[in-house]
Amino acid sequence: MSWDWPLQANEEVVKVINTSDRFEVGLDAAFFGPKDVEVKVINDNLLVECHQQRTGDPVTREVRRTYKLPSDVDPSTVRSRFDERGVIQITAKKRQRRLF
């Protein structure tokens, strides 16, 4: 799975943690504020939108990416937060395995 993120420091690839019980990803959004960022889940897709236009500034910053969640991620458990370093932290739990 490829997670391209144009704002990642030093042009690094986004590191995704995907273990048997959790899914996590961090996206550098230091150019934006918490109110400029929106994270949504639509079906099994994660939509990350960042939009900023400062008053009196003709420059608009905008990033929009859609990522396919791994098939074992429970989309109803996706949570996001904007941390003090300007990183969007996205976490989710894995689907419960049914044992029959």
Side-chain angles (χ1 to χ4, degrees):
M1 165 182 10
S2 176
W3 287 68
D4 68 325
W5 185 248
L7 303 175
Q8 196 65 27
N10 301 319
E11 300 297 321
E12 294 177 20
V13 174
V14 176
K15 293 179 183 174
V16 177
I17 298 171
N18 191 8
T19 66
S20 62
D21 62 339
R22 69 185 172 123
F23 173 77
E24 295 181 11
V25 65
L27 304 172
D28 182 356
F31 290 111
F32 298 94
K35 293 180 181 181
D36 302 325
V37 175
E38 186 171 9
V39 177
K40 300 178 195 176
V41 177
I42 301 171
N43 299 318
D44 288 333
N45 293 302
L46 182 70
L47 175 62
V48 181
E49 296 179 304
C50 303
H51 179 85
Q52 179 187 68
Q53 183 166 8
R54 296 183 182 170
T55 306
D57 190 347
V59 177
T60 299
R61 287 187 177 134
E62 187 169 285
V63 175
R64 180 184 173 135
R65 289 288 188 272
T66 301
Y67 303 104
K68 178 79 172 150
L69 289 169
S71 61
D72 59 347
V73 169
D74 181 350
S76 69
T77 67
V78 172
R79 302 291 178 264
S80 65
R81 69 180 184 86
F82 194 87
D83 76 12
E84 65 279 349
R85 296 174 299 142
V87 175
I88 305 167
Q89 296 288 338
I90 300 166
T91 60
K93 295 179 183 176
K94 297 297 182 98
R95 295 181 197 270
Q96 295 294 322
R97 294 184 190 169
R98 293 185 180 151
L99 301 175
F100 293 98

